[in-house]
């Protein structure tokens, strides 16, 4: 399905997820483990605070000069032999990738993990044009077999337990016997994928950081599938959002120190790939051609707002979702779009529009757990509140897509009445008296209360207000 056709239904999906004990148990177990591992990595508060301040500064410096750095990145990449393409929309990016593959006569593609290609729905686009794309990251491979979307940006199949994976493999992998042994399941996936690497006409990957100074594409991973995808096939296409650019090579280490520790509680990933050119004369491996596709898809609009542009600092570590009391209970599929959890709640409404995903900024308790663990200090709760406001009162300067789409005459009248009530002691007394007399007659199923009372008990109005009681006791001054 095309991304444009999607509309968020957070409330409806959350109800379903909350009534799925298996899903909740899978998430609870996984999230508890990730939180414990991350906490162990950042046990030294001084080190954590200094490192995240540095990480935030590196990303803020890059974003402050984003247009110039993107031009420098393009020039450097081209000088290194990497062909650079610009895509304003996901449709353009899909067309560019398809065009490169068709020009090369590619029919089989092996893919490394890439959330941007999920955002593009690239696999479906390629399949519709006769090109088979196989995911090589174990988690992505599992959900591709299951025909599902990722439920987490780092661990895409975290919603499944080993029994579900064992059943899936026995059903979908030819000759695979049912086993719940994790090593055997991993070996089965490895065996099924090995041949795909060798057969692939092209590899497609994401990019963690693109360094403008040197034209280097940094790609981190644990399974070696990213390295195989980007070196074994004769053609490599890297796809990334325009915000992933860094100014200098020396900006990479602090972010590499933050990203895996925040994501999986590892000091560093098993593989850190740094791709700076296609295969050079005399080299024994590497692709003969490398392409870099830079996707905008609404990021320029986000960049144009001085407050909301903090969203673009994100390094996709997923720590915010691992610690979010909402995400950890309802899981990633509840968010409909590619990016779930707190980062999704600020990014998706900006990319897709508040008219499509305007309920997502409300799917938060504003507890600030996300902001506390974000390694690049994105003030997520503040941006959630800002987006809630934009949905009702779009600011003149901001260009948030779908701004004002939640404007409602009844809500606006309700707030005016509320203001009037609290602005006049007389009106306040009359209204509270009427509520005390008649409020309990209003059923919980009344249209204006229905949604609220679907998950809460309607409070009972007291027969007498606090003011009345105080007056009767002789405490009132009026
Ligand atoms: S918002 Fe922060 S914590 Fe969340 S994924 Fe991005 S960098 Fe990580």
């Amino acid at each position: 399905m095309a991304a444009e056709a999607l509309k968020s239904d957070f409330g409806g999906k959350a109800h379903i997820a909350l009534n799925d004990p298996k899903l909740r148990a899978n998430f609870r177990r996984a999230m508890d483990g990730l939180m414990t591992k991350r906490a162990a990595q950042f046990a030294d508060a001084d080190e954590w605070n200094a490192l995240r301040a540095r990480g935030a500064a590196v990303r803020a410096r890059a974003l402050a000069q984003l247009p110039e750095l993107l031009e420098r990145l393009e020039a450097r990449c081209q000088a290194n032999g990497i062909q650079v393409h610009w895509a304003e929309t996901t449709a353009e990016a899909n067309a560019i990738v398809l065009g490169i593959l068709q020009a090369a006569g590619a029919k089989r593609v092996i893919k490394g993990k890439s959330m941007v290609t999920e955002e593009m729905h690239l696999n479906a686009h390629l399949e519709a044009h006769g090109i088979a794309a196989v995911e090589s990251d174990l988690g992505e491979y599992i959900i591709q077999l299951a025909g599902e979307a990722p439920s987490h940006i780092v661990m895409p199949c975290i919603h499944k337990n080993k029994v579900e994976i064992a059943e899936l493999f026995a059903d979908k992998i030819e000759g695979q016997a049912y086993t719940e042994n994790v090593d055997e399941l991993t070996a089965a996936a490895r065996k099924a994928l090995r041949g795909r690497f060798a057969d692939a006409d092209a590899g497609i990957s994401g990019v963690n950081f693109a360094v403008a100074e040197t034209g280097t594409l940094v790609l981190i991973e644990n399974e070696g599938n990213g390295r195989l995808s980007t070196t074994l096939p004769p053609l490599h296409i890297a796809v990334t959002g325009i915000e992933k650019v860094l100014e200098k090579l020396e900006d990479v280490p602090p972010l590499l120190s933050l990203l895996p520790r925040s994501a999986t509680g590892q000091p560093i990933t098993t593989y850190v790939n740094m791709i700076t050119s296609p295969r050079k004369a005399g080299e024994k491996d590497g692709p003969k051609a490398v392409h870099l596709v830079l996707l905008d898809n609404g990021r320029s609009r986000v960049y144009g707002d001085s407050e909301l542009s903090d969203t673009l600092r994100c390094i996709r570590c997923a720590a915010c979702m691992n610690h979010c009391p909402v995400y950890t209970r309802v899981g990633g599929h509840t968010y409909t779009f590619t990016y779930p959890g707190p980062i999704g709640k600020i990014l998706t409404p900006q990319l897709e529009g508040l008219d499509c995903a305007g309920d997502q900024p409300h799917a938060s308790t504003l507890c600030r757990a996300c902001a506390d663990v974000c390694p690049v200090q994105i003030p997520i709760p503040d941006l959630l509140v800002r987006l809630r406001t934009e949905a009702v009162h779009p600011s003149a300067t901001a260009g948030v897509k779908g701004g004002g789409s939640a404007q409602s005459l009844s809500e606006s009248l309700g707030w005016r009445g509320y203001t009037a009530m609290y602005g006049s002691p007389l009106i306040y007394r009359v209204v509270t008296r009427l509520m005390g007399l008649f409020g309990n007659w209003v059923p919980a199923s009344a249209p204006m209360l229905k949604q609220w009372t679907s998950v809460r008990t309607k409070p009972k109005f007291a027969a007498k207000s606090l003011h009345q009681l105080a007056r009767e006791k002789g405490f009132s001054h009026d």
Side-chain angles (χ1 to χ4, degrees):
M1 192 188 297
E4 290 75 19
L6 295 177
K7 192 162 167 63
S8 179
D9 173 23
F10 193 91
K13 289 189 175 180
H15 274 292
I16 296 168
L18 288 170
N19 285 308
D20 183 343
K22 192 161 65 175
L23 181 90
R24 292 191 64 176
N26 291 350
F27 269 93
R28 184 73 276 155
R29 196 170 37 246
M31 297 298 124
D32 284 351
L34 287 168
M35 285 196 287
T36 307
K37 284 188 193 165
R38 180 201 160 274
Q41 282 295 328
F42 295 117
D44 182 338
D46 291 340
E47 191 233 350
W48 158 243
N49 286 323
L51 192 54
R52 74 192 298 230
R54 195 164 164 212
V58 163
R59 290 298 293 132
R61 172 162 45 81
L63 290 174
Q65 39 183 340
L66 185 61
E68 303 94 279
L69 290 188
L70 284 168
E71 283 180 13
R72 208 182 301 164
L73 175 72
E74 179 183 36
R76 234 12 286 172
C77 284
Q78 285 172 343
N80 295 342
I82 296 175
Q83 297 171 59
V84 180
H85 311 260
W86 300 86
E88 193 174 339
T89 62
T90 55
E92 272 182 39
N94 281 330
I96 289 167
V97 173
L98 180 65
I100 297 167
L101 293 172
Q102 286 176 334
K107 288 280 173 205
R108 293 173 304 261
V109 168
I110 191 84
K111 276 187 73 216
K113 192 170 172 311
S114 158
M115 292 312 291
V116 167
T117 59
E118 295 286 347
E119 185 182 328
M120 293 157 55
H121 302 271
L122 177 64
N123 289 3
H125 184 73
L126 296 182
E127 196 183 325
H129 290 83
I131 296 175
V134 176
E135 296 287 348
S136 65
D137 172 88
L138 180 57
E140 290 279 352
Y141 176 66
I142 291 167
I143 58 165
Q144 187 177 34
L145 284 183
E148 296 175 4
S151 62
H152 188 278
I153 60 172
V154 173
M155 281 153 291
C157 77
I158 200 122
H159 56 289
K160 289 196 181 298
N161 60 30
K162 67 179 177 184
V163 174
E164 292 169 286
I165 295 167
E167 288 167 355
L168 182 72
F169 277 22
D171 181 35
K172 299 278 183 176
I173 300 179
E174 207 181 316
Q176 174 63 30
Y178 182 89
T179 174
E180 290 175 21
N181 181 302
V182 174
D183 290 338
E184 288 174 15
L185 289 169
T186 309
R190 180 180 290 134
K191 193 170 153 214
L193 283 169
R194 278 285 147 166
R196 303 297 183 101
F197 286 111
D199 290 348
D201 303 312
I204 296 178
S205 76
V207 175
N208 290 100
F209 308 111
V211 184
E213 177 186 43
T214 54
T216 305
L217 310 179
V218 183
L219 182 58
I220 64 172
E221 39 121 6
N222 282 316
E223 299 169 16
N225 66 306
R227 185 162 295 181
L228 284 171
S229 304
T230 56
T231 53
L232 214 49
L235 169 65
H236 171 210
I237 305 171
V239 189
T240 186
I242 55 171
E243 79 279 22
K244 293 287 185 73
V245 69
L246 296 179
E247 184 183 2
K248 303 174 191 165
L249 205 54
E250 69 186 35
D251 293 334
V252 175
L255 296 177
L256 284 187
S257 185
L258 284 164
L259 178 45
R261 292 164 82 186
S262 299
T264 51
Q266 294 171 274
I268 189 79
T269 48
T270 313
Y271 295 88
V272 177
N273 304 294
M274 303 186 92
I275 300 159
T276 306
S277 73
R279 185 192 304 197
K280 290 183 184 148
E283 288 182 342
K284 290 197 166 60
D285 58 15
K288 293 190 180 113
V290 178
H291 294 255
L292 172 64
V293 180
L294 292 160
L295 174 67
D296 185 319
N297 194 30
R299 288 162 172 82
S300 295
R301 199 185 309 111
V302 179
Y303 185 67
D305 185 283
S306 58
E307 185 186 18
L308 293 170
S309 59
D310 283 350
T311 311
L312 300 177
R313 266 194 241 153
C314 179
I315 57 172
R316 305 284 191 269
C317 71
C320 56
M321 60 193 72
N322 299 345
H323 291 74
C324 175
V326 177
Y327 173 87
T328 53
R329 280 155 186 82
V330 299
H333 290 157
T334 306
Y335 295 77
T336 302
F337 295 90
T338 304
Y339 303 99
I343 180 59
K345 283 181 258 190
I346 55 171
L347 183 60
T348 304
Q350 296 185 75
L351 298 187
E352 305 292 340
L354 283 160
D355 45 347
C356 289
D359 58 355
Q360 302 218 0
H362 293 270
S364 170
T365 62
L366 301 181
C367 69
R368 302 198 76 87
C370 50
D372 288 348
V373 296
C374 178
V376 286
Q377 296 180 324
I378 299 176
I380 298 173
D382 301 340
L383 302 188
L384 288 170
V385 172
R386 169 73 193 285
L387 288 169
R388 291 179 187 185
T389 309
E390 287 294 332
V392 185
H393 298 298
S395 54
T397 48
V400 182
K401 195 173 166 188
S405 56
Q407 277 172 343
S408 138
L409 183 61
S410 56
E411 187 177 329
S412 158
L413 290 174
W415 284 114
R416 273 188 215 174
Y418 191 82
T419 310
M421 183 174 98
Y422 278 91
S424 157
L426 178 66
I427 300 178
Y428 179 85
R429 279 198 206 107
V430 170
V431 172
T432 50
R433 186 78 191 119
L434 289 173
M435 281 177 169
L437 289 172
F438 305 112
N440 291 327
W441 293 5
V442 181
S445 57
M448 62 195 293
L449 296 178
K450 202 165 60 182
Q451 196 178 355
W452 196 81
T453 53
S454 67
V455 288
R456 299 173 185 88
T457 306
K458 179 175 165 276
K460 217 171 154 205
F461 287 99
K464 292 181 181 177
S465 70
L466 185 62
H467 277 187
Q468 276 177 283
L469 292 171
R471 242 190 328 267
E472 284 170 17
K473 299 264 180 198
F475 295 135
S476 180
H477 291 288
D478 55 20

